[in-house]
Amino acid sequence: MSNSDRCRSPPRVAAHLPPMLDLIIENITENFDEWEQVWQFLTKVGQISTDVRHEFVLLSDILGISALVDAISDPAVPGATESSVLGPFHGEEAHSSQYGESITSAGTPGEPTIVRGYVKDTEGNAGSKALIDVWEPDGNGVHDLEYDGQEEPNCRGKLFTDESGHYLFTCVKPVTKLKRHWYRPAHMVDHSFVLPVVKSDTVFGVKKSLIVDYNWCEDLELAKQHSIVWSQSSRHLMGKNRKGFGCYTGTFIIVKKSAPARR
C-alpha cells in the first residue's frame, strides 16, 4: 500500500489491511493451478457485482465474516434486542411511510401482512420517534433490487414510531428466497432487528431475540383500517376457507447511545 493510499484510507483500514494481506501470502498455496482457481473466483465475484448487487458483501456474509464483525462492533447488551448483519439488499431509497401505511407498491405479490409492535430502551423508556428502516423480499422471494428494470423502491420503507414508541406498517409476508440457497430464511430486515421465519441461516444472522411468530388474523375492522383487501388472502382452516391476513407483533429493546464527550 502506497503512502498516498494510506492517507486516503481510514486509519484502522490502513493499519489492518497490510497484516491481512501478509496472512494471505503466508498461507498461499504452492500449486499454481489452485491459486489460479482462487483469483479466478475472486475475479468473477467482482465481475458479477453491480451498483445494486454487492457480491462481495454476500461472500462476506456466507463466510461468517459479517456476523463476526457485527458481534465485535455491537456486542450483546443484557436485556436489549440483539443486532444482526445488514445484508446486501439495503438501499437508501425507500417508501417514506407514515404510521399504518404500506411499504409495498400496488400489485405486489404476496400475502397481506401487518407488522406492529413497540420500541423501548433498556431503561424502559418509550422509543419515541425511532426510525424504522425496513426492507424485505416480495411474495416471490425476490427483492426489488434483483428485478431488471425496477425503478421505484418496493417492499422497503422508512417510518417513525409514534410518541408512545409504537409502530405499525403493512407489507406482504416475506417468503424463502427462491433464487438463492434455501437456508437463507424468509425474513424482513430493520437496522436493529430481523424477523426470520426459520431458525437456520446461511449468513449466521438469526438470533433468538430477533425471532417473532407469524400469526393469522381475521380482524375485518383492522383490515379495513389499513386498506388491506379482504379478498386477496385466505387459508383453509377447520374445513373452511377463512379470509384474513398475516400479522407480526414484536417488542424491540434498543440501547440508548450516549452523547460523545466534549473536548
Side-chain angles (χ1 to χ4, degrees):
M1 179 180 290
S2 67
N3 289 333
S4 60
D5 289 334
R6 289 179 184 272
C7 292
R8 289 194 296 268
S9 301
R12 287 183 60 83
V13 174
H16 288 286
L17 188 56
M20 291 172 61
L21 295 176
D22 289 341
L23 185 62
I24 293 174
I25 294 172
E26 289 175 4
N27 292 276
I28 200 167
T29 176
E30 297 179 359
N31 186 307
F32 185 81
D33 290 338
E34 292 178 356
W35 173 238
E36 184 177 26
Q37 292 180 37
V38 171
W39 62 254
Q40 284 184 348
F41 168 74
L42 294 176
T43 299
K44 290 179 180 178
V45 170
Q47 289 173 337
I48 202 173
S49 298
T50 66
D51 290 341
V52 296
R53 178 171 181 166
H54 309 297
E55 210 67 14
F56 269 107
V57 177
L58 284 173
L59 181 60
S60 173
D61 289 348
I62 64 175
L63 291 177
I65 298 173
S66 300
L68 177 60
V69 173
D70 174 68
I72 295 172
S73 61
D74 289 299
V77 175
T81 302
E82 298 163 282
S83 65
S84 186
V85 294
L86 189 63
F89 295 111
H90 176 254
E92 291 301 325
E93 293 188 12
H95 290 284
S96 180
S97 305
Q98 301 298 316
Y99 182 95
E101 292 183 345
S102 178
I103 65 167
T104 60
S105 302
T108 300
E111 186 170 273
T113 299
I114 284 180
V115 179
R116 58 185 175 180
Y118 178 66
V119 176
K120 62 181 179 179
D121 64 24
T122 50
E123 298 175 357
N125 302 308
S128 173
K129 301 302 179 182
L131 173 64
I132 304 292
D133 184 357
V134 60
W135 60 102
E136 63 162 356
D138 61 19
N140 293 325
V142 182
H143 285 82
D144 57 352
L145 299 180
E146 298 179 278
Y147 283 109
D148 293 333
Q150 179 82 28
E151 296 182 356
E152 297 296 326
N154 190 21
C155 293
R156 60 180 68 240
K158 294 182 180 181
L159 63 151
F160 292 91
T161 58
D162 63 15
E163 293 292 343
S164 62
H166 290 88
Y167 65 90
L168 189 151
F169 60 90
T170 63
C171 57
V172 295
K173 177 185 177 182
V175 300
T176 301
K177 292 181 180 298
L178 304 179
K179 295 172 67 176
R180 296 189 179 276
H181 194 295
W182 68 288
Y183 279 118
R184 178 86 269 245
H187 64 290
M188 63 179 61
V189 189
D190 180 272
H191 269 171
S192 58
F193 57 85
V194 183
L195 307 178
V197 174
V198 297
K199 300 180 181 180
S200 177
D201 185 13
T202 193
V203 305
F204 312 97
V206 175
K207 299 177 182 178
K208 185 176 180 180
S209 65
L210 305 180
I211 299 174
V212 297
D213 292 329
Y214 181 82
N215 298 306
W216 183 250
C217 182
E218 298 179 2
D219 187 335
L220 177 58
E221 292 304 316
L222 184 62
K224 288 181 178 179
Q225 184 179 352
H226 297 289
S227 303
I228 291 178
V229 180
W230 195 249
S231 61
Q232 280 186 344
S233 181
S234 65
R235 288 188 177 185
H236 193 72
L237 301 171
M238 301 177 66
K240 297 181 180 179
N241 283 328
R242 307 283 291 271
K243 296 187 182 300
F245 54 93
C247 184
Y248 286 110
T249 302
T251 297
F252 300 97
I253 305 173
I254 58 178
V255 179
K256 185 184 296 184
K257 298 292 185 180
S258 57
R262 292 186 177 181
R263 295 184 177 180

